[in-house]
Amino acid sequence: MPLKSAAALGVRPDGVDVVLNDDGKPRTTFVSAAAPPTSADAPGTGYAVPCAVAGDHVFCPDHSGAVHRSARDGSGDRLVASSRSASHVTATVVGGTHTALSYLASRQTSEGWVSEAWIGVDDDAPVRLSEDGSGATAVTLVARGASVLAMSIDARAALTTMHARPVAFEGGHLKLGEDAVVFVGGPGDRRTAGTVMVPANGPAWGLLPIAKDATTFGLAIVRIDDPPRVDEPVVWSMYPNGLDPAPVVAAVSGATSWVARVLPRDASPGSSRVLELGVVEPSGDFTLVSTVPTSGRPGDLALVADAQGSLWLAWVDGAGSWVERLQCTAPPASASLQAHDH
């Protein structure tokens, strides 16, 4: 891709828009499923914090933390929020035609400065998503029917909590549901982040790479019911060793819940890293499907599924920013993936 920076992916009927962040301005490249472009030579450097795509809108934070909303081509640029500098934003479509944006912001309290999650829809004033007494170091939104499921992570030196909260947009106003602490894990830091996905049937799943105990590390796959309940069941998929940060992203294609993740190749210190693609089964178990070749240490993942059932995977490694189109060549129970375009 033309810039070496994290990508956001926006699906179109015949391909994807790959959106790179040029310090608050989207640098959009259309990649066709029929005739992909050749790889860019000598890519420039973009801002490491990715944009977020929701429908036809793109939300791109700049170095100061100001969040710009624009069309995918950059037109109609407008400042809509002030996030914590270098933090990620997330966005999705709610109610069919509205766009919801969530981001992290610092607020001074009697206990000092606290990082919190905020959410806003369209041009309405944002409201605090985090409950009193809770913070947030990462936040993710995903559409769930006509509403939104918000998952936030509050990583602290003593423990890490995963919060799930349904959000509706009714009568032109946000309506926050009950906040539930669905999972409590070990110590984390500000790089600890996860993702959430909503399959076509059954519960949602929150995914969080974190230490299981003092000696083991893995991907916590947390069931999230509708509405979310406190202390939901969790299934673990273990890693050979710990990794911070440990990127993980997810996408749903039909009845299949796809996951891309980065983990150490083995347990040795300084191990190389691998980029895996797999599925989360209805039981919550992770099944490995394929390993994607990369150059150096991969990170900054993005994953979407298109209407034809193909997956589009983006990542950044030592050679630049990449997008690859992958298509399942067998039923999900014995799935294998074939790379179409790289």
Side-chain angles (χ1 to χ4, degrees):
M1 301 308 300
L3 292 179
K4 184 177 181 181
S5 67
L9 302 176
V11 176
R12 292 198 178 279
D14 52 350
V16 295
D17 283 331
V18 183
V19 184
L20 304 175
N21 190 352
D22 192 2
D23 195 19
K25 299 178 181 179
R27 179 81 73 87
T28 302
T29 301
F30 174 70
V31 181
S32 170
T38 57
S39 299
D41 295 324
T45 301
Y47 187 32
V49 177
C51 302
V53 176
D56 293 329
H57 287 113
V58 177
F59 298 86
C60 297
D62 61 27
H63 278 81
S64 71
V67 182
H68 301 250
R69 184 185 67 199
S70 69
R72 295 188 186 185
D73 62 3
S75 61
D77 181 278
R78 178 179 178 181
L79 292 177
V80 292
S82 179
S83 68
R84 201 181 70 224
S85 177
S87 64
H88 289 212
V89 303
T90 178
T92 190
V93 175
V94 59
T97 58
H98 305 278
T99 53
L101 166 71
S102 190
Y103 58 94
L104 302 178
S106 297
R107 184 171 67 97
Q108 190 170 25
T109 69
S110 58
E111 299 179 353
W113 287 95
V114 177
S115 174
E116 299 175 325
W118 290 72
I119 186 170
V121 173
D122 298 337
D123 295 321
D124 289 354
V127 298
R128 184 158 51 91
L129 184 63
S130 303
E131 284 285 333
D132 285 332
S134 299
T137 52
V139 61
T140 305
L141 300 180
V142 64
R144 193 176 201 177
S147 61
V148 169
L149 177 63
M151 185 194 81
S152 61
I153 304 298
D154 187 8
R156 306 192 183 193
L159 54 84
T160 299
T161 55
M162 177 189 292
H163 297 249
R165 189 167 201 174
V167 181
F169 189 67
E170 300 174 354
H173 299 285
L174 277 172
K175 182 179 179 181
L176 301 181
E178 291 293 326
D179 179 273
V181 178
V182 296
F183 171 77
V184 178
D189 61 30
R190 289 186 178 272
R191 297 178 299 175
T192 301
T195 190
V196 62
M197 60 181 174
V198 178
N201 298 297
W205 297 99
L207 310 177
L208 179 65
I210 196 168
K212 184 178 182 182
D213 51 42
T215 60
T216 59
F217 187 99
L219 180 64
I221 305 173
V222 183
R223 177 188 177 107
I224 303 178
D225 286 300
D226 187 12
R229 300 181 299 175
V230 173
D231 195 19
E232 293 268 26
V234 58
V235 178
W236 287 90
S237 175
M238 304 311 298
Y239 290 12
N241 206 341
L243 185 65
D244 285 318
V248 60
V249 291
V252 174
S253 176
T256 307
S257 301
W258 291 98
V259 175
R261 64 183 188 177
V262 174
L263 66 163
R265 186 178 299 275
D266 55 54
S268 63
S271 167
S272 60
R273 300 174 186 178
V274 294
L275 174 53
E276 291 186 348
L277 274 164
V279 296
V280 171
E281 309 289 353
S283 62
D285 293 292
F286 175 85
T287 299
L288 176 64
V289 173
S290 181
T291 299
V292 179
T294 62
S295 300
R297 295 189 169 189
D300 296 313
L301 309 182
L303 182 69
V304 295
D306 64 21
Q308 288 72 44
S310 297
L311 297 175
W312 295 83
L313 173 65
W315 73 91
V316 179
D317 60 24
S321 297
W322 302 93
V323 176
E324 189 160 346
R325 180 172 176 258
L326 303 161
Q327 192 167 38
C328 190
T329 58
S334 57
S336 61
L337 285 170
Q338 176 180 337
H340 281 225
D341 310 307
H342 185 184

